[in-house]
Amino acid sequence: MSIASDMLRGNTEMIILAHLMKKESYGYEINKHIQLKSSHQFELKEATLYGAFRRLEEAGHVSFYWGDEQTGARRRYYRITAGGRVAYERYRSEWNEAVAVITTLIAQDEVEKEDGTHA
Amino acid sequence: MSIASDMLRGNTEMIILAHLMKKESYGYEINKHIQLKSSHQFELKEATLYGAFRRLEEAGHVSFYWGDEQTGARRRYYRITAGGRVAYERYRSEWNEAVAVITTLIAQDEVEKEDGTHA
DNA sequence: TTAATATACATTGACAGGCGAAGTATATTG
DNA sequence: CAATATACTTCGCCTGTCAATGTATATTAA
């Protein structure tokens, strides 16, 4: 729960952009898809999700249009922009790099020297 | 900078514990070691580092003692506790799981269906 | 008819962790 | 003696996540 929240932090935008790289979509659908794909281990809470959309819009990484549903609630469809694609690739490489670094930091290699340093 | 901060969030304790699994140590040394091992890509800022120590202490994951240096500034040596080892393993598995889930979410598999969804 | 549930979006305020900045103290070096 | 490195500490800000709450429409069952 709390750990997942912190792992999510800073990655929600990348996750949303990843979805939008494949197809235009709207908040509710993206959220459901993430829950499905992660076997319900992850779930973007609504406030988190819509907050991320707002930031993505402000950054010009996505644009949106209102769907013309004849039935049901209105949908705000999002589309990734050219700038969004660039940002997505940057997010990905930063993510990969960060994972590599942390993996190195927690790698259980040999004990450098079991001196104990002290009493 | 900002990305690294968010990647760090929630993982500082795991990183510190990883270091303490190998040897007792003190803040300054741990920080230098992390900078070294990450080729200066990561750096725990002091406020972050000491904040994490405080939480680790409160959680009973580490204990400390003052070094008896005859010269230089005093050092607060930390030692991982039994509970800390358990916590570390939990952190690691949660980390691995989270990485796996996010990796899945951003995996560039085939386009599920290029319908475009709308105009 | 109406209560429940699902779809769909939006906002507010609280919370927590990382960080910039500033401070304390000791030792070394130019 | 000024600068730099070691070493720890604290304050207040910022930002992203979340719980809670609210809006509105459609479907289904009692």
Side-chain angles (χ1 to χ4, degrees):
Chain A
M1 194 74 84
S2 64
I3 287 292
S5 285
D6 282 337
M7 278 302 299
L8 221 45
R9 184 178 250 250
N11 294 125
T12 54
E13 294 168 40
M14 175 178 70
I15 291 170
I16 290 171
L17 288 180
H19 187 94
L20 294 178
M21 283 292 282
K22 291 175 186 166
K23 57 184 286 240
E24 298 181 0
S25 190
Y26 53 98
Y28 195 84
E29 186 183 53
I30 291 176
N31 206 12
K32 288 293 170 198
H33 187 250
I34 288 172
Q35 283 173 44
L36 245 180
K37 256 204 163 177
S38 71
S39 311
H40 292 84
Q41 292 170 91
F42 271 14
E43 182 198 352
L44 296 184
K45 299 303 155 46
E46 283 170 297
T48 302
L49 182 70
Y50 294 112
F53 275 133
R54 186 180 40 68
R55 291 193 301 274
L56 285 168
E57 265 186 72
E58 283 170 5
H61 294 160
V62 300
S63 61
F64 79 93
Y65 59 91
W66 288 104
D68 59 351
E69 282 68 45
Q70 298 306 312
T71 181
R74 73 210 187 294
R75 294 174 181 166
R76 202 175 155 96
Y77 282 91
Y78 287 97
R79 184 192 282 147
I80 191 168
T81 64
R85 288 170 194 276
V86 173
Y88 174 62
E89 292 307 332
R90 195 174 54 244
Y91 276 135
R92 275 176 62 88
S93 63
E94 279 166 355
W95 159 260
N96 286 326
E97 211 180 308
V99 168
V101 171
I102 293 184
T103 298
T104 298
L105 288 174
I106 64 173
Q108 295 154 322
D109 45 32
E110 84 302 343
V111 175
E112 345 245 306
K113 194 83 218 42
E114 85 294 335
D115 62 349
T117 299
H118 220 60
Chain B
M1 195 75 83
S2 65
I3 287 291
S5 285
D6 282 338
M7 278 303 300
L8 222 45
R9 184 179 247 252
N11 293 126
T12 54
E13 294 167 40
M14 174 178 70
I15 291 170
I16 290 171
L17 288 180
H19 188 95
L20 294 179
M21 282 292 282
K22 292 176 186 165
K23 56 183 288 241
E24 298 182 0
S25 190
Y26 54 97
Y28 195 84
E29 185 183 54
I30 291 177
N31 206 11
K32 289 294 171 197
H33 187 249
I34 288 171
Q35 284 174 42
L36 245 181
K37 256 203 164 178
S38 70
S39 313
H40 291 85
Q41 291 171 93
F42 271 15
E43 182 199 351
L44 296 184
K45 300 301 154 50
E46 283 171 296
T48 302
L49 182 70
Y50 294 112
F53 275 132
R54 185 179 42 67
R55 291 193 300 276
L56 285 168
E57 264 187 75
E58 284 170 4
H61 294 159
V62 300
S63 61
F64 79 93
Y65 59 90
W66 287 105
D68 59 354
E69 283 67 45
Q70 298 307 312
T71 179
R74 72 212 189 293
R75 294 173 181 169
R76 202 173 155 95
Y77 281 91
Y78 286 98
R79 183 191 283 147
I80 190 167
T81 64
R85 287 170 195 277
V86 172
Y88 174 62
E89 291 307 331
R90 194 173 56 245
Y91 276 135
R92 273 175 63 87
S93 64
E94 278 166 356
W95 159 260
N96 286 325
E97 211 181 307
V99 168
V101 170
I102 293 184
T103 297
T104 297
L105 288 174
I106 64 172
Q108 296 153 323
D109 46 31
E110 83 303 342
V111 176
E112 346 244 304
K113 193 84 215 49
E114 84 294 334
D115 62 349
T117 300
H118 219 60

